[in-house]
Amino acid sequence: MERKVVFSGLQPTGNIHIGNYLGALRNWVLLQDDYDAIYCVVDLHAITVPYEPEDLRRDRVETAKLLLAIGIDPERSLLYYQSQVRQHVELAWLLATLTPLGVLNRMTQFKEKSDKAGRNLGLYAYPVLMAADIMVHKAHAVPVGEDQTQHLEVTRDLAEKFNNRFGEEFPVPEQITPKVGARVMSLQDPTSKMSKTDPDARSKVLLVDPPQVIRKKIRSAVTDSGHEIEYDREKKPGVSNLLEIMSQFTGRSIDDLVAEYHDTLYGHFKDAVADAVIEGLAPIRDAYTALADADVEALMLDGAKVARERAEDSMASVRAKMGF
Ligand code: AMP
Ligand code: TRP
């Protein structure tokens, strides 16, 4: 039986953190076993906010290296840069003609980002390009964090709309989001999500942070009033966030961790969280340092070649259905 396709994308914006890892990237690695896996460094999405070409060049290859370092295996998964497969952009244009403005006006990510970055057509059309990424590979499943739910809904609507209007072509993709870790919160403000663009470096642990930096950031994490280690996202958002992080890195349940640490001091608990994160990230950091840029770029070119062929297959059928 043919395996189902899983697709996801990551923006090459640097600062990849444990929120990205727990919310999405870890699932990318796991899903390679059971799916036909396709993963993309979405560099065309990254230029929808102000940027420097030099930074983009560096962040692209660093993002690719990180994906390899966490365990994306080029023998089992297709990995490439979005900008090297033009069919993404072509399908985005076709889908744009099926996208009502009202839908785009509701996107919270657009509102948030345009407050900071200004409004441009690319940022507005971002969800349409994302839908095209997924649909050009006829993906069935998309592993992403909770913050992408709205974009996935747009994708599903576009798939259904296309199928109804032009004939059955696209699967309606399902979102894959972990139960714990779908929304890792900032270490400095546990009521907002850990974010690549937060200017406060202490708000997030990066996948390539050295151990002493990880420990320092976790020690300085904002915790809550009271002394007990308890899980309650409303009343104890800081401690609960750390519990979730530790649970994900150790594979132990939250209940189990609470039972062990309930009566210990915050300082002791934070050190235990730091140990777990340091241990979990060590192999990633080692693998990352061992990779050479030139080898990775060659691998990405190979990936793009295969991705172009596969995307072109889909596009031939899409063009024909639409009357071209
Ligand atoms: P981004 O940082 O927007 O490029 O996100 C890359 C992936 O990580 C997406 O699948 C997001 O849903 C996921 N993600 C980003 N921030 C978090 C977070 N704080 N917690 C969980 N998942 C996240
Ligand atoms: N919007 C996603 C994010 O910010 C990145 C992305 C672009 C993506 N295209 C995609 C994710 C396709 C999944 C599938 O994280």
Side-chain angles (χ1 to χ4, degrees), residues 7-9 11 42 45 109 126 130 133-134 142 144 148 151:
F7 178 92
S8 197
Q11 294 192 60
V42 290
H45 278 108
Q109 191 168 305
Y126 181 113
M130 177 164 163
D133 298 338
I134 296 165
V142 184
V144 283
Q148 295 301 311
H151 290 160

Side-chain angles (χ1 to χ4, degrees), residues 8-25 28 42 109 113 126 143-149 175 178 181-186 192-197:
S8 197
L10 179 67
Q11 294 192 60
T13 39
N15 286 337
I16 294 168
H17 53 67
I18 56 174
N20 301 130
Y21 183 59
L22 300 180
L25 301 179
W28 293 26
V42 290
Q109 191 168 305
K113 288 194 180 177
Y126 181 113
V144 283
E146 200 177 81
D147 60 356
Q148 295 301 311
T149 302
Q175 174 171 349
R183 191 174 172 83
V184 177
M185 308 310 274
S186 157
S192 60
K193 74 168 183 181
M194 187 177 285
S195 155
K196 283 173 174 174
T197 51

Side-chain angles (χ1 to χ4, degrees), residues 77-286:
S77 295
L78 188 54
L79 180 65
Y80 66 98
Y81 295 127
Q82 183 188 35
S83 60
Q84 294 179 342
V85 179
R86 301 299 148 100
Q87 287 83 354
H88 288 250
V89 180
E90 182 187 356
L91 183 56
W93 177 259
L94 301 180
L95 295 178
T97 64
L98 298 175
T99 312
L101 297 190
V103 168
L104 298 178
N105 289 334
R106 282 200 301 274
M107 295 293 113
T108 52
Q109 191 168 305
F110 174 67
K111 289 182 205 158
E112 282 166 18
K113 288 194 180 177
S114 56
D115 281 348
K116 290 183 216 147
R119 297 146 66 88
N120 68 73
L121 182 57
L123 187 61
Y124 194 50
Y126 181 113
V128 184
L129 180 58
M130 177 164 163
D133 298 338
I134 296 165
M135 288 163 67
V136 84
H137 289 295
K138 303 206 172 150
H140 301 91
V142 184
V144 283
E146 200 177 81
D147 60 356
Q148 295 301 311
T149 302
Q150 214 182 20
H151 290 160
L152 252 289
E153 275 161 14
V154 174
T155 306
R156 277 195 293 274
D157 287 348
L158 282 171
E160 276 169 1
K161 205 163 177 179
F162 186 101
N163 292 344
N164 289 334
R165 171 80 175 81
F166 298 110
E168 200 61 30
E169 178 75 24
F170 298 110
V172 177
E174 61 160 321
Q175 174 171 349
I176 301 187
T177 296
K179 284 199 188 67
V180 174
R183 191 174 172 83
V184 177
M185 308 310 274
S186 157
L187 297 180
Q188 290 301 315
D189 172 11
T191 59
S192 60
K193 74 168 183 181
M194 187 177 285
S195 155
K196 283 173 174 174
T197 51
D198 190 328
D200 186 349
R202 294 171 313 159
S203 70
K204 54 195 164 228
V205 172
L206 305 185
L207 296 193
V208 294
D209 272 342
Q212 64 277 21
V213 172
I214 298 176
R215 191 171 303 281
K216 213 163 149 195
K217 286 179 176 174
I218 291 179
R219 275 193 184 147
S220 76
V222 169
T223 36
D224 319 292
S225 53
H227 297 289
E228 294 79 23
I229 306 297
E230 279 166 350
Y231 186 72
D232 183 335
R233 277 189 84 145
E234 297 276 296
K235 296 202 186 93
K236 295 207 140 215
V239 169
S240 301
N241 191 38
L242 292 177
L243 278 167
E244 289 203 9
I245 292 170
M246 185 167 181
S247 161
Q248 287 305 87
F249 274 101
T250 55
R252 292 173 61 186
S253 71
I254 303 234
D255 287 349
D256 189 26
L257 295 174
V258 170
E260 177 171 350
Y261 292 99
H262 188 267
D263 299 320
T264 63
L265 296 173
Y266 279 171
H268 175 78
F269 169 62
K270 283 179 176 176
D271 266 332
V273 177
D275 287 341
V277 176
I278 289 168
E279 196 185 317
L281 294 184
I284 296 178
R285 195 157 170 268
D286 291 347

